[in-house]
Amino acid sequence: MAQKHLVIDPITRIEGHLRIEAIIDENNVVTDAYSSSTMFRGIEEILKGRDPRDCGLLAMRICGVCTGTHYQRSIEAVEHAFGVTIPKNARLVRNLIQGALYLHDHVVHFYHLHALDWVDITEALKANPKATVLEAQKWASLSGQRAWNASEDTYIQVQERVTKYVKQGRLGIFGNAYWGSKGFKLTPEQNLIGLSHYLDALELQRDMAKMMAIFGGKNPHPQSFVVGGVTCVQDIKNPARIAEFKQLLKRSRKFIKEAYLPDVYMAGTMYADEALEGIGGGIGNFMCFGDFNLDDLPFYKSSKLFPAGIVKNRDLSKVYEVDQSKITEDVTHAWYEGTTNLHPYDGVTKPNYTGFGKKENNIAYLDTKNKYSWIKSPLYDDERMEVGPLARMIVGVANKDERISKYVTTFLKNGNLPTTVLFSTVGRTAARAIETELMSDVMMDWVDELASNVAHGDLSTWTEFNFDNVSKDAQGYGMAEAPRGGLGHWVKIKDGKVANYQAVVPSTWNAAPRDYKGRLGAYEASLIGTKVANPDQPLEILRTIHSFDPCIACAVHIIDTNGKELGVYKVDPIGGTSRA
Amino acid sequence: MIDSTQMVKKIFTQKSGRVETNKGEEYYNSLFEKAKSRLKSLRVQPALRDVDIMDVLETEGVNRRDFMKWVSATTATLMLPPMFAPLVAEATELMNRVPVIWIELQDCAGNTEALLRSSAPTVDDLLFDVLSLEFHHALMACAGHDAEHQLDEAMEHFKDKYLLFVEGSIPTGMNGNYGTIGPAGETFQEHLMRLSKDAAAIVAVGTCATFGGVPAAAPNPTKAVGVMDLVRGKPVVNIPACPANPANMVGVVLHYVLTGQIPELDSLLRPKFAFGYRIHDNCERRAHFDAGEFVEEWGDEGAKNNWCLYKVGCKGPMTFNNCSIIRYNEGTNWPIGAGHGCIGCSEPDFWDKYAYQRPMANANIKPPTGGVERTVDEFGLGLLTATAIGIGVHAVASVVANKKSKEEEEK
């Protein structure tokens, strides 16, 4: 039997450093797959000993993409530890910054990181611009929208621009790709729509980043959250500022409804066969931590835009509650010492880098029987989980959340797709689009709520607390949802300093290697059964991996170079260490 | 290996970053002639992309007047007199003669994200028309072996001509194995060395690539360092900040196109055009500093009135950067605008020196010069340039004065 061992490193159009190895059989079907992260930085170790009030600034740098999310989780973990509830304005501002991040992140993901797996740019040049207008109108009309670009001239200009670019011989970052592959299924007109929106989205995403900067100071790496609230008083005081936010939101929302959703209908329909076959479906267990507080009740009591819950084995009839104490991390196949599953508060993390396995013809191969990634394998109640937009939508539907169910049902109805398509690569991509529309709608309400609250004279942005009292011996967690899925930061504080810090992030759940029972991580599981049209051009593998929107720098975090036990500060007190 | 981090620390304790804003007619005339002949020689080079910049801009809805406005602003940002404006405009058209290879090492992609926010030129212009971006991990279409070939091919084709942009620090602990890339599992350090060998110049973008940044924060678990700690015998430009401002990235490329040289650098290899002033020098809240009006606590009356943030930890007086002038996201805002103090992200070791929300005076920080622990005001003497000395003193004195005058009013 002729097997092939594919090595894909670097996986590009992602954040961070990821290697995928896949075994394909004689029919070019993936029979085995391995996911490995090849970089880490040690941020939790760096956080130890610091003032808890400063953690957010540094913890945010776990990721340059969902940067605001880590910022917020870190600050919340400390607020949870201190028992500080933030004022209404702060909640709304944080929701708006986080919401804008969802819009930005999902649009950039679909068009700039994912679309080139669906859209063949070179084919777009063969399209008939007039027919393209009709095609764009067709997909937009499915949800009763007008097409974002319905001008023949616009499509001609896009073609001219890109033709000029292609003609001069060097394709730059678009060079050496899989153009012309049989794996691409769109018509030339559909490709032109995709290409034209790729360019428009480059412009739109700058607007979405501006929304974050209005209340966040800048993007990436905003700088306006503090333990107890937010600092952007003058930006919420100024009605023109809020109006500016709303204006940018309106335009973004228009693009989401007139371009993004129709494009997903289009891609979903053209690739429906694979979706119905369940290609890319993966583990089938979905977990959502819940996020976006809709009222001002303290910690984890507020109602949520995305309800928390777990769905197992694709069974939408039952939802399990999430209990953070059931989360553990396993390192059997990760470059750390130890074999026991431990909760993040008690995790033991000693690096044990064993490198690659064999090396042939200048290609290194992962030592897959043993350790092969810097990412640990998180488990929930000894089960593997997938997190992300698909998990949020599935848990929302299973929870019978009215809003989420409505958006999901409408999407499936408009696209004439059965619910089962959700459990696939296409479904993962669709869920992200559904969520983006929902978010852009609900944010309109939040902006108005903020404007009205301020107009009624509430300018409070911060809750006072006595640091010396609350920071003696405290612990807390910030658990919510990053655009890529469930994200948790756990902090232990002793004598005003961080005694221990841990983050378990979405890509840790999804990009993890096998666990101690040999069960596959979400990326790995999703690749099994995928047919590759041409093994030299593993387009289908990239498409499925990209559907998760990998964010690997986040996923790699914990290390204690001294081999000390992390999180057992009763045994090994670290409080009182000053940062010299 | 020379421990350049130590060297940098030493340099930082000296006077640094003084910019002569006017270097005299003779200097500028000679630079002008040099730039002219440089552009002429670029003009005759075979074009990577033959574009009419106005054509490109017009399709983006930018007219000549808007373009010239951007040109004069950029000329000023580069600290050149207005007579250079036509040359800057020309250089913009010729930017695509300079190929760029962008690599990511021990990073969070924050600088890539910042590049995506570029507004002048916009990112789509940069990608399709202006820059000749040959390799960019986060944006390129191909992956794996094909990406590797793309890189090799670009390196060979543009040998000694490309600008190598490096994002992220380089882990040197455990023989560099904290980061590997490519099918062969090359370490980040080997990767950087291989790619810098044939580069015309290297641009370290963001504080991780310049000074080690986040991973190098104490206790630096992976022994991360910046590009200048490893690369020898090549020009290195540092564009620190977390993330670097895209305007400064474009500025460096434009300057290179314009003159064929990297811009004038300060002692930390930062272009003086961007890092020649302290945040404090051009801060919108400076008047409140001078008037002794300070935010004392988050959300207080001072915060509601946009007073100075020094007492809630602003490090603007110690930080060299142009964000108080150009801001972020098309000038939308900047941290101090959003009511949070500057954390000094363009300075070396800022995670351990500046990135906290208390004033220097209350910080339990030992001066890098060693010796007895001193308060910030004395610490400023050793560490900062002369102007910064009195900041703490002034902050106290002005408040006292202010209080007095209020008391008098009440009387």
Side-chain angles (χ1 to χ4, degrees), chain A residues 171-312:
Chain A
L171 282 174
I173 52 167
F174 303 102
N176 229 355
Y178 311 137
W179 311 130
S181 162
K182 278 188 209 148
F184 288 112
K185 294 184 185 168
L186 304 185
T187 67
E189 284 72 26
Q190 293 172 339
N191 281 312
L192 181 55
I193 295 170
L195 172 59
S196 142
H197 291 165
Y198 177 103
L199 293 170
D200 292 339
L202 275 175
E203 191 186 328
L204 261 293
Q205 58 90 25
R206 286 191 287 118
D207 281 354
M208 295 164 186
K210 269 198 220 168
M211 287 162 66
M212 290 183 261
I214 286 175
F215 298 122
K218 71 183 185 8
N219 170 274
H221 301 327
Q223 204 163 309
S224 70
F225 301 164
V226 288
V227 174
V230 295
T231 65
C232 51
V233 197
Q234 68 164 321
D235 298 305
I236 65 162
K237 249 174 73 181
N238 182 352
R241 221 44 181 150
I242 296 182
E244 188 187 353
F245 187 97
K246 195 165 174 181
Q247 195 53 39
L248 292 166
L249 174 60
K250 270 188 183 165
R251 198 168 128 78
S252 304
R253 190 160 161 256
K254 188 168 151 64
F255 179 80
I256 289 158
K257 288 177 190 281
E258 295 181 357
Y260 185 6
L261 277 178
D263 287 353
V264 174
Y265 288 134
M266 178 173 89
T269 307
M270 299 307 284
Y271 289 84
D273 289 353
E274 300 178 13
L276 292 167
E277 267 180 61
I279 297 295
I283 295 174
N285 294 340
F286 300 93
M287 178 167 68
C288 172
F289 290 170
D291 202 2
F292 291 96
N293 294 343
L294 300 178
D295 57 53
D296 296 298
L297 294 172
F299 307 98
Y300 309 109
K301 289 182 186 129
S302 158
S303 55
K304 306 269 186 194
L305 179 67
F306 301 126
I310 289 170
V311 166
K312 290 185 189 173

Side-chain angles (χ1 to χ4, degrees), chain A residues 7-17 19 38-43 45-46 50-51 53-54 57-58 61-65 71 104 108 112-113 116 157 161-162 164-165 168 170 172-179 195 198-199 202-203 205-207 209-210 212-221 223-227 231-235 237 241 244 351 353 356 359 362-364 374 459-462 464 536 538 542 553 559 561 578-580, chain B residues 48-52 55-56 59-60 104-110 113-114 116-119 122-125 127-129 133-150 153-154 157-158 174 177-185 188 214-222 242-243 284-285 297-299 303-306 328-330 332-343 345 351-352 355-358 364-366:
Chain A
V7 174
I8 316 174
D9 184 353
I11 297 278
T12 50
R13 281 183 279 126
I14 64 162
E15 198 283 310
H17 298 272
R19 159 185 281 244
T38 58
M39 183 273 273
F40 78 33
R41 295 175 293 169
I43 289 186
E45 181 62 8
I46 292 166
R50 288 182 197 252
D51 189 304
R53 290 169 292 185
D54 306 328
L57 290 170
L58 203 143
R61 268 78 179 183
I62 286 176
C63 183
V65 183
Y71 194 15
H104 181 273
V108 168
H112 308 120
L113 307 182
L116 302 182
Q157 279 176 20
R161 185 177 195 191
V162 178
K164 214 188 261 177
Y165 182 82
Q168 29 96 56
R170 291 197 65 85
I173 52 167
F174 303 102
N176 229 355
Y178 311 137
W179 311 130
L195 172 59
Y198 177 103
L199 293 170
L202 275 175
E203 191 186 328
Q205 58 90 25
R206 286 191 287 118
D207 281 354
K210 269 198 220 168
M212 290 183 261
I214 286 175
F215 298 122
K218 71 183 185 8
N219 170 274
H221 301 327
Q223 204 163 309
S224 70
F225 301 164
V226 288
V227 174
T231 65
C232 51
V233 197
Q234 68 164 321
D235 298 305
K237 249 174 73 181
R241 221 44 181 150
E244 188 187 353
Y353 183 71
F356 288 94
K359 204 169 187 176
N362 208 26
I363 299 174
W374 284 114
L459 281 180
S460 80
T461 50
W462 186 65
E464 199 172 350
D536 293 330
L542 288 178
I559 172 170
T561 42
S578 78
R579 304 217 63 84
Chain B
L48 291 163
R49 307 193 208 308
D50 218 356
V51 288
D52 176 349
D55 207 33
V56 169
T59 61
E60 296 302 299
E104 291 180 49
L105 301 174
Q106 206 180 12
D107 71 320
C108 74
E113 289 285 323
L116 279 176
R117 317 288 186 268
S118 176
S119 54
T122 60
V123 60
D124 52 326
D125 285 350
L127 293 184
F128 279 88
D129 307 303
L133 189 60
E134 293 297 318
F135 185 92
H136 192 296
H137 187 98
L139 295 170
M140 65 196 297
C142 64
H145 289 87
D146 301 293
E148 198 73 355
H149 294 158
Q150 171 85 1
E153 205 268 329
H157 196 269
F158 298 112
M174 206 172 64
N177 278 311
Y178 287 120
T180 63
I181 191 167
F188 288 172
V214 175
N220 194 352
T222 61
C242 190
E284 65 194 23
R285 299 186 186 222
E297 257 178 350
W298 304 118
K304 292 189 179 94
N305 289 300
N306 315 331
Y328 290 87
N329 305 88
E330 299 175 52
T332 301
N333 210 348
W334 66 307
I336 288 173
H340 192 293
C342 164
I343 60 171
C345 72
W351 286 115
D352 300 323
Y356 50 82
Q357 293 163 342
R358 269 87 47 216
N364 179 25
I365 292 186
K366 289 185 185 123

Side-chain angles (χ1 to χ4, degrees), chain B residues 263-326:
Chain B
E264 192 186 352
L265 306 176
D266 72 4
S267 54
L268 295 170
L269 308 184
R270 302 179 293 194
K272 285 191 180 178
F273 74 75
F275 299 92
Y277 298 106
R278 275 175 295 262
I279 304 272
H280 193 60
D281 299 339
N282 296 290
C283 181
E284 65 194 23
R285 299 186 186 222
R286 177 62 188 260
H288 295 292
F289 175 85
D290 294 339
E293 295 170 331
F294 294 93
V295 176
E296 306 274 342
E297 257 178 350
W298 304 118
D300 68 4
E301 279 311 295
K304 292 189 179 94
N305 289 300
N306 315 331
W307 287 359
C308 174
L309 296 161
Y310 177 74
K311 290 194 169 184
V312 282
C314 183
K315 310 301 184 296
M318 298 82 181
T319 305
F320 289 84
N321 207 334
N322 56 357
C323 22
S324 44
I325 305 167
I326 55 176

